[in-house]
């Protein structure tokens, strides 16, 4: 059984294969219309979603399958105190594959340990969002025709932005990719993402707070919203929410073939006057999400003989994860585990 929890669960060859398959589905949808006839997708969204949830639903239905599940924790037995583990065990009995979004980081790892069907991480807190990254990669390939030799600017919430963390993890594996990280100091990229991906991948990167000065060098500008739901303090969110607003005047010095991307939803970080610019690709990006998820579902349902259990770590006496968003702080009955460097196996944060 195969799961997708982290984008690095996929090799670059597998990503290329998914991009090729998604492109073929776009060109020949009727060929795939009955590929999942008789199959059921369990859609477990403990956190609000529009694009991800609906694109998974559309993907499975377009393959001839069916969907069951819930779109908010309040409509599930979570309100009665049911754990993630118990919910996933139960839904595994009713479905053939599960897509799950959860506000706690590491929840998909807990799910993958007990599920009897493949688990797809549809976003876990501020940790990872691998299917959005597959959507981003398909968009990059469609617009640029390559994954190497690119300058990628990522702007906004780099601290809590799970789409950012997954995109950096994926793109750091390709040749000559340079990152320009644009954010307020308070929302800068976490050290564990730099350590695990930028340093390990040998990627060049610069950090800046100035969007305008960065734009002329970019091949891709990946905008993100400042996420109110990730902040402990409403006051801090209000202070940072309007840090960056992209408008047409800021694109005067941009490359003619710049690709402007955004995982959506946007608030006000991209002005509507940019929508008519032919370099604005974020609505195409949202459309591509349906097709890459169709390709992923077909891949996971067609993969057999792989044991993908992943909890590899040891307890540290008297130690627990200090990340308030980590699943290990709320899920009953799971061990608090850390790797040899003291990093939590669920959320990748280091024990202080």
């Amino acid at each position: 059984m195969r799961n997708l929890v982290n984008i690095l669960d996929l090799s670059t060859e597998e990503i290329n294969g998914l991009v090729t398959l998604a492109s073929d589905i776009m060109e020949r949808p009727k060929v795939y219309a009955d590929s999942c006839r008789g199959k059921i997708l369990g859609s477990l969204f403990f956190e609000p979603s529009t694009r991800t949830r609906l694109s998974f639903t559309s993907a499975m239905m377009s393959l001839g399958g069916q969907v069951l599940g819930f779109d908010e924790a309040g409509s599930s037995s979570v309100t009665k105190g049911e754990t993630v583990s118990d919910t996933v065990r139960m839904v595994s009995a009713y479905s053939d594959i599960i897509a799950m979004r959860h506000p706690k980081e590491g929840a998909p790892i807990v799910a993958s340990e007990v599920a009897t069907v493949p688990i797809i991480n549809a976003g876990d807190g501020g940790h990872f969002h691998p299917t959005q990254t597959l959507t981003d990669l398909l968009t990059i390939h469609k617009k640029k025709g390559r994954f190497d030799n690119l300058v990628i600017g990522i702007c906004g919430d780099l601290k809590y932005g799970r789409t950012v963390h997954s995109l950096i993890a994926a793109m750091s594996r390709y040749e000559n990719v340079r990152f320009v990280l644009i954010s307020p100091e308070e929302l800068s990229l976490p050290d564990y993402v730099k350590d695990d991906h930028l340093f390990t991948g040998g990627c060049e990167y610069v950090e800046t707070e100035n969007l305008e000065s960065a734009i002329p060098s970019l091949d891709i500008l990946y905008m993100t919203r400042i996420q109110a739901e990730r902040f402990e303090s409403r006051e801090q969110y209000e202070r940072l929410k309007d840090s960056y607003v992209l408008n047409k005047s800021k694109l005067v010095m941009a490359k003619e073939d710049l690709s402007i991307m955004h995982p959506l939803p946007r608030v006000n970080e991209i002005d509507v006057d940019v929508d008519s610019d032919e370099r604005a690709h974020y609505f195409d990006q949202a459309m591509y999400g349906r097709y890459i998820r169709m390709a992923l579902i077909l891949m996971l349902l067609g993969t057999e003989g792989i044991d993908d259990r992943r909890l590899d770590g040891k307890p540290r006496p008297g130690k627990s994860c200090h990340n308030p968003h980590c699943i290990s702080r709320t899920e009953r009955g799971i061990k608090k585990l850390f790797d040899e460097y003291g990093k939590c196996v669920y959320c990748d944060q280091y024990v202080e």
Side-chain angles (χ1 to χ4, degrees), residues 28-58:
R28 303 188 302 155
K30 291 183 180 179
V31 172
Y32 299 88
D34 291 315
S35 300
C36 286
R37 184 72 62 189
K39 300 292 185 180
I40 297 173
L41 170 72
S43 176
L44 308 185
F45 279 72
F46 296 83
E47 192 176 52
S49 170
T50 301
R51 272 150 299 279
T52 303
R53 183 176 63 84
L54 293 181
S55 65
F56 265 116
T57 299
S58 176

Side-chain angles (χ1 to χ4, degrees), residues 226-326:
I226 309 298
Q227 304 174 86
E229 64 270 25
R230 305 291 174 217
F231 284 83
E232 299 293 330
S233 163
R234 182 73 189 184
E235 180 181 338
Q236 186 184 31
Y237 166 71
E238 290 293 337
R239 181 167 55 83
L240 295 171
K241 67 177 183 178
D242 295 325
S243 297
Y244 302 103
V245 178
L246 182 68
N247 54 38
K248 275 204 167 183
S249 65
K250 292 177 182 174
L251 291 170
V252 171
M253 300 301 293
K255 293 181 179 179
E256 290 185 4
D257 64 346
L258 173 69
S259 289
I260 304 168
M261 298 172 59
H262 192 306
L264 301 177
R266 66 174 164 184
V267 183
N268 60 351
E269 62 276 1
I270 298 181
D271 197 282
V272 293
D273 69 3
V274 177
D275 294 356
S276 59
D277 193 303
E278 62 183 16
R279 296 169 291 187
H281 298 151
Y282 32 89
F283 291 117
D284 285 345
Q285 186 181 350
M287 176 191 68
Y288 294 147
R290 172 191 180 190
Y291 298 102
I292 199 69
R293 289 180 174 101
M294 289 173 73
L296 178 64
I297 288 168
L298 289 174
M299 173 192 172
L300 294 181
L301 287 176
T303 304
E304 297 180 357
I306 294 177
D307 184 8
D308 195 20
R309 304 305 184 194
R310 61 181 65 229
L311 283 185
D312 184 17
K314 296 180 179 179
R316 289 197 165 200
K319 295 290 187 181
S320 60
C321 183
H322 298 292
N323 175 9
H325 306 292
C326 181

Side-chain angles (χ1 to χ4, degrees), residues 132 135-137 139-140 143 167 220-224 259-264 270 279-282 285:
Q132 178 61 52
T135 299
D136 299 340
L137 293 173
T139 306
I140 291 170
K143 303 303 180 182
L167 181 61
I220 296 167
L221 174 57
Y222 194 92
M223 295 293 295
T224 67
S259 289
I260 304 168
M261 298 172 59
H262 192 306
L264 301 177
I270 298 181
R279 296 169 291 187
H281 298 151
Y282 32 89
Q285 186 181 350

